[in-house]
């Protein structure tokens, strides 16, 4: 079996009560950048941040079939804490639902998740800071574009 590491940066945004996610993935096989709307039942920022991770991990497994390790970089401490201890069960029903989705993905695919907290809105020139700003903008802009489209209708 081939060992493959994936680096995943994620972020989420909520605009007009609609949640959006963004993910930037890189591996030896290339780079993937995608954003989208989260399910309507994702209503708070912590659940939205976790959902962004679900979508990023899903992209990694669909596009690259079987990563061994997914290194997740997020500005959500809630998400990092869950990734570091996936036995946690949230008292928040929505977060619990997202946690279960992520647990099932890991169990089915047998890869390891590692979480790193990235300070939000860093102004530095480090690669981490630049990618985090980029992903933050993707999630926010996806929401803005969606709101603009609704106004046109």
């Amino acid at each position: 079996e081939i060992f493959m590491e994936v680096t995943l940066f994620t972020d989420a945004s909520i605009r007009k009560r609609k949640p959006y996610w963004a993910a930037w993935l890189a591996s030896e096989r290339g780079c993937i950048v995608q954003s989208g709307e989260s399910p309507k039942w994702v209503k708070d920022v912590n659940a939205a941040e976790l959902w962004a991770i679900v979508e990023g991990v899903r992209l990694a497994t669909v596009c690259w079939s079987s990563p061994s390790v997914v290194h997740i970089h997020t500005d959500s401490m809630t998400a990092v804490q869950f990734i570091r201890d996936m036995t946690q069960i949230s008292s928040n029903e929505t977060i619990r639902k997202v946690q279960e989705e992520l647990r099932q993905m890991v169990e089915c695919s047998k890869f390891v998740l590692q979480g790193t907290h990235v300070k939000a809105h860093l102004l530095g020139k480090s690669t981490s800071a630049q990618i985090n700003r980029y992903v933050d903008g993707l999630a926010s802009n996806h929401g803005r574009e969606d709101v603009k489209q609704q106004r046109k209708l």
Side-chain angles (χ1 to χ4, degrees):
E1 190 171 309
I2 297 171
F3 181 83
M4 183 175 70
E5 293 182 87
V6 173
T7 299
L8 168 62
F9 280 78
T10 62
D11 208 350
S13 177
I14 297 179
R15 289 196 159 285
K16 304 279 185 185
R17 293 190 295 231
K18 289 176 79 177
Y20 301 91
W21 63 272
W24 180 98
L25 299 87
S27 79
E28 61 195 24
R29 296 185 186 169
C31 185
I32 300 170
V33 178
Q34 197 164 357
S35 63
E37 187 175 337
S38 302
K40 298 199 183 327
W41 52 264
V42 173
K43 300 209 182 280
D44 67 67
V45 70
N46 288 322
E49 293 284 355
L50 281 165
W51 189 259
I53 292 169
V54 166
E55 291 292 352
V57 170
R58 188 182 331 273
L59 279 169
T61 58
V62 167
C63 296
W64 297 322
S65 69
S66 56
S68 307
V69 179
V70 180
H71 300 280
I72 299 166
H73 301 264
T74 175
D75 58 14
S76 166
M77 274 308 297
T78 299
V80 170
Q81 289 167 351
F82 175 67
I83 291 161
R84 291 181 180 166
D85 178 12
M86 292 188 69
T87 62
Q88 293 179 44
I89 299 172
S90 176
S91 59
N92 177 307
E93 184 180 342
T94 304
I95 292 174
R96 206 168 44 245
K97 189 173 180 178
V98 180
Q99 286 174 330
E100 188 53 37
E101 177 95 15
L102 198 51
R103 268 191 215 97
Q104 287 177 2
M105 292 172 79
V106 170
E107 287 172 12
C108 290
S109 299
K110 306 258 190 289
F111 52 79
V112 174
L113 295 183
Q114 295 179 340
T116 300
H117 183 253
V118 177
K119 189 173 179 185
H121 313 290
L122 287 175
L123 299 176
K125 293 184 179 183
S126 72
T127 303
S128 267
Q130 290 180 35
I131 297 171
N132 185 62
R133 280 195 307 272
Y134 177 71
V135 174
D136 178 62
L138 278 177
S140 297
N141 288 334
H142 196 99
R144 281 190 203 105
E145 290 302 314
D146 193 46
V147 169
K148 282 182 190 174
Q149 291 298 324
Q150 287 177 357
R151 285 185 187 148
K152 287 181 183 178
L153 301 175

